[in-house]
Amino acid sequence: MHQAATAPTDFYPKHRELLEQAVAACAVRGFWTPYVEAPSARAYGAEAAEEGEAAFRAHLDAPFPLAGQPGTGSVPGAEVSPYGFTLGVSYPRVTPEEAIAAAKSAAVQWRSARPETRAGVAAEILARLNAASFEMAHAVQHTTGQPFVMAFQAGGPHAQDRGLEAVAYAFAEQLRHPVSARWTKPQRRGDPLALEKTFTPVGRGVAVLVACNTFPTWNGYPGLFASLVTGNPVVVKPHPRAVLPLAITVRIAREVLAEAGFDRNVVILAPEGERPTATDLATHPDVRIVDFTGSTEFGDWLEANARQAAVYTEKAGLNTVVVDATDDYKGLLRNLAFSLSLYSGQMCTAPQNILVPRDGVATDQGRRTADEFATDLGGALDALLGDERRATGTLGAIVNDGVLKRLAEAGGLGRTTHPSRELTHPEHPEATVRTPLVARLEAEADHETYTREWFGPVSFVIATDSTAHSLDVFRDTVRRHGALTAAVYATDEEVLDAARSAALDAGVHLSENLTGAVFVNQSAAFSDFHGTPANPAASAALTDPAFVTGRFAMLQSRRHVPAEPAEAAADA
Amino acid sequence: MHQAATAPTDFYPKHRELLEQAVAACAVRGFWTPYVEAPSARAYGAEAAEEGEAAFRAHLDAPFPLAGQPGTGSVPGAEVSPYGFTLGVSYPRVTPEEAIAAAKSAAVQWRSARPETRAGVAAEILARLNAASFEMAHAVQHTTGQPFVMAFQAGGPHAQDRGLEAVAYAFAEQLRHPVSARWTKPQRRGDPLALEKTFTPVGRGVAVLVACNTFPTWNGYPGLFASLVTGNPVVVKPHPRAVLPLAITVRIAREVLAEAGFDRNVVILAPEGERPTATDLATHPDVRIVDFTGSTEFGDWLEANARQAAVYTEKAGLNTVVVDATDDYKGLLRNLAFSLSLYSGQMCTAPQNILVPRDGVATDQGRRTADEFATDLGGALDALLGDERRATGTLGAIVNDGVLKRLAEAGGLGRTTHPSRELTHPEHPEATVRTPLVARLEAEADHETYTREWFGPVSFVIATDSTAHSLDVFRDTVRRHGALTAAVYATDEEVLDAARSAALDAGVHLSENLTGAVFVNQSAAFSDFHGTPANPAASAALTDPAFVTGRFAMLQSRRHVPAEPAEAAADA
């Protein structure tokens, strides 16, 4: 459809207004999005759902073409849908050396483009990704195991939001200083000294995106677009089990780049072959930026070893809920049960450690001890997930065997108050579906157990001596092990103040008294900062100025110019 | 003079207008400064010069008091004026552990202050530093060896400019996001979802400033003030030969902090005792920010080892001049000779490698070969430094024996075209004064010699095959070894374009055709970026957004609020 035209297209005028709105939205931080989150025919067209599914089906058991990529041969696809079938897609093979060399060569022209041009290209890529949201939804569903509607939203419009947010920050940051400036210094005698100075943003160099299994686009787009718009080529290294969503992304990016008159190798897909390539890519001397989402172990390794690069990591942590009191106990339980169930808790933002005073919390349903709270939470999970058909629409499927292993290990602790159940997906009988497990731990005795991350449908109701004790545990464990999210339930303003203060000490974003239709694991682009370098779970927030300023440098040149008559006169 | 008042002073209202001007100046990048650079009675008062000198004299051979610092005992001063006398100042002793513990404890209250309050405190510190510029000038002169007027300017108002610039960037950066925001998301049915969100900038943690011998204040203030204003306490570790300028700075900072109602230990002076402490301080787990100016060796070590901290380094490089042609040969020579002579070339910005085509450059005085250029440059140095009395006012004194050793080594290369001379300072007969040495090298044969930094009065006229060859050498050596400055002399627009492009490739700021009263080693705050992470000589620029964004994180808290009637109605 999108052939490279003979005359390159400047996409900036088309998206200028959108970019200005996005830049403004970053500063206002209210609700804003240009991409419709509902998979609706009204927004996406009557045929979009069907065409998107057909486009996805056409990828199966076939090579994925990316014309003009460096390298030779193909990488057999290792992707298996958590819903129970093999995708069978193969991808172009490219070695790290080939990918980096091609990206470097493509960078020369990309670097010399104005930030406006690059932002225009990025906005056009996002517009076409938005139009492909149904194709993407299926690709995300069948690589991550997310339920369909979530795969549509998180993999499509919400990921596009995060991408546009990164575009906006990267774009605005390069415009903070003028293209040129006049420096006129008065002299005690004679004409003032005058210099003309030009300022040019220059990308840091080749960027590598090491993407994750569960949210390949939502977690991948910020780094991809921040690097691109600041003038860097990007080598995309997908998780071997979630290649397709990023292959579609790279295909669209390369189409737009070609139409804009750039070397398509500004964006390259570099899937793994027989052995992992992330370490080779990330430590290559020509690689100057690395974005990574995934395990703490590999994230820490990258931070320690990819020393030639600016490294942005999002790793794991201990998402914590402090419960002190509530005037809407049912709302609390319903809200928390949903947070634990959504995509089977396979979110970096899903709660794990729920701290409840042993003697109980005050609620509108009377005082509930920690034991009773654990039982009530199990009841809320049963209520939420009672209807199997509806339950699978929330739970999705288990993404990989690591999650199942941890679930079995949690069951073996012997502290389960609400066991995990196996469910059968009505449309995908082969899918691996599990409900959340809740275990009841003690703050002191079980410290070692709950200070590891149990990624997946495992959470702990942890009995403490008091809310003050809960806050100490919260502060201490998050400072040391990190967290992406934290939540508090309290009715007393002083307790809320103490929780806010503890969250600032721990260095984590806080959600207070969520009992309705907003959940602690949701993070809205343009309003919520996702992650923070203030605790060990991440080295950067998505997206803020710190996420983009290190991706380029502002270089200047200066030269003498004659003082203008007015300047000379003013000094005479 | 400045006693802590019983009621703390909020300094923000007093400096609000100045801060707003400074923030605006950063974006405009023209000429702007609130601090008068001339050591004049009109600007600083009739008694200022005499009082400043008396204040300096009073420090000599005495303990420097810093009431309320942690630690016990004192560190005997190791400071010897390059002008030939021992300062004999002793400083309060504090161990790294004591300093960091006190800073950490002082951070709690400092962190909770609003950015406005912190910026007000910083601006007041700078105002009092400005008033103390004469005292500072003597302190800088007699620790660095700078000539007096330069010590006044670079150590006083110009350093204050750089400090205020860092204050402005740090202040503005924390105000880019609102204190609170309302997020209202329309729902398909019923009232919109509404959340109130608060955003709090939180400092990263204890900062350590490892300062240098030659420009303790100019190079030290950006990191000091950027860390302070973003909510971090700062432990100041001066170079053992240049403690006094930073001791005066810390004294004033602590006075202002106390008057503003803060723990004075937000800023602590931690001079070295018997053994170096920079490694202990920089790698302490509680230290989260390190600023360093000095050797490439230690800067690289810090970047590799202070992994728990954000590290900002300014190291050494190969400042390069590419000469192709000029229509003002005398101006070129005069300008370059001054750049080599100012403070005996002991500036991180002084030129070292002057690339000249062997067959010569076109000038308004006819074609000059590389040999002739070297001779002419020697002649320009002789003309500039012929009058001994005036010469010492430009050269200052040699800061330490390392510089003398390198000068002797350069003389031993056997390639000298203009030897270094010893001069006698008219007022300080014990001062070590040397004129610059120029040697004539070959681009190929002497590659190893000129790809090291020869910090001090040593420069090389390096013969190349052509200007294209010069640009290749420039691009290649600066990419690999770094540079703080670069300059080009050319009359052909195509050659200037090629030089600009080479400077962007090399990642270095460029000055073009400086033949008048602006010199390549000058860098004006609010207009020139000093240093850049785009080449290995530095990991950051002074000062830009990247220099401040990593010093704090923005943490958020969010809670439900009822939808307002208007919002609800809009959706109904």
Side-chain angles (χ1 to χ4, degrees), chain A residues 37 111 169 173 176-177 185 197 303-304 307 505 510-512 527-529 556-559, chain B residues 37 111 169 173 176-177 185 197 303-304 307 505 510-512 527-529 556-559:
Chain A
E37 69 176 1
R111 193 189 72 185
Y169 274 104
E173 203 60 37
R176 286 182 73 182
H177 298 114
K185 182 177 180 178
K197 307 187 181 187
E303 290 171 24
R307 304 301 322 287
D505 284 346
L510 183 69
S511 294
E512 302 171 18
S527 184
D528 291 319
F529 292 112
Q556 74 174 58
S557 190
R558 59 184 185 178
R559 65 199 66 95
Chain B
E37 68 177 1
R111 193 189 72 186
Y169 273 104
E173 203 59 37
R176 286 182 72 183
H177 298 115
K185 182 176 181 179
K197 306 186 181 189
E303 289 172 23
R307 305 300 323 287
D505 283 347
L510 183 70
S511 294
E512 303 171 17
S527 185
D528 292 318
F529 292 112
Q556 74 174 59
S557 189
R558 59 184 184 177
R559 64 200 67 95

Side-chain angles (χ1 to χ4, degrees), chain A residues 151-395:
Chain A
F152 182 91
Q153 296 187 338
H158 291 174
Q160 294 146 21
D161 282 340
R162 279 284 173 215
L164 184 62
E165 184 185 44
V167 171
Y169 274 104
F171 178 51
E173 203 60 37
Q174 294 172 88
L175 303 184
R176 286 182 73 182
H177 298 114
V179 175
S180 71
R182 189 182 176 83
W183 177 89
T184 310
K185 182 177 180 178
Q187 299 297 294
R188 256 186 303 176
R189 292 181 204 86
D191 285 356
L193 284 175
L195 293 177
E196 185 194 64
K197 307 187 181 187
T198 57
F199 301 95
T200 310
V202 175
R204 193 178 171 98
V206 177
V208 166
L209 168 64
V210 180
C212 71
N213 194 169
T214 47
F215 290 90
T217 58
W218 197 95
N219 276 99
Y221 285 179
L224 169 65
F225 284 101
S227 286
L228 269 186
V229 174
T230 49
N232 307 285
V234 184
V235 175
V236 177
K237 208 298 286 173
H239 191 281
R241 299 176 61 94
V243 183
L244 188 55
L246 290 173
I248 294 168
T249 304
V250 170
R251 181 196 75 207
I252 289 174
R254 292 169 62 89
E255 284 167 7
V256 175
L257 282 161
E259 288 175 43
F262 292 99
D263 186 333
R264 283 173 292 189
N265 288 329
V266 167
V267 180
I268 291 173
L269 185 77
E272 283 180 18
E274 287 67 29
R275 58 174 207 86
T277 52
T279 57
D280 288 352
L281 283 166
T283 57
H284 192 287
D286 285 336
V287 168
R288 305 300 317 282
I289 299 169
V290 176
D291 285 275
F292 167 74
T293 309
S295 73
T296 296
E297 195 191 346
F298 192 59
D300 288 347
W301 186 92
L302 284 173
E303 290 171 24
N305 291 280
R307 304 301 322 287
Q308 83 295 351
V311 177
Y312 305 88
T313 60
E314 186 194 310
K315 300 168 288 186
L318 309 175
N319 300 325
T320 303
V321 182
V322 173
V323 187
D324 176 70
T326 181
D327 50 19
D328 180 7
Y329 191 51
K330 277 192 181 157
L332 178 161
L333 292 169
R334 206 167 40 220
N335 186 285
L336 208 48
F338 187 80
S339 284
L340 299 175
S341 302
L342 184 62
Y343 185 27
S344 317
Q346 299 170 121
M347 300 178 73
C348 59
T349 50
Q352 173 181 303
N353 294 342
I354 305 164
L355 302 167
V356 182
R358 192 171 298 104
D359 294 344
V361 294
T363 83
D364 54 329
Q365 314 279 311
R367 193 155 198 87
R368 310 298 287 167
T369 66
D371 283 333
E372 289 164 340
F373 186 93
T375 308
D376 295 343
L377 183 59
L381 285 164
D382 287 339
L384 176 71
L385 305 170
D387 176 319
E388 279 214 0
R389 174 172 286 271
R390 287 186 50 206
T392 54
T394 301
L395 294 166

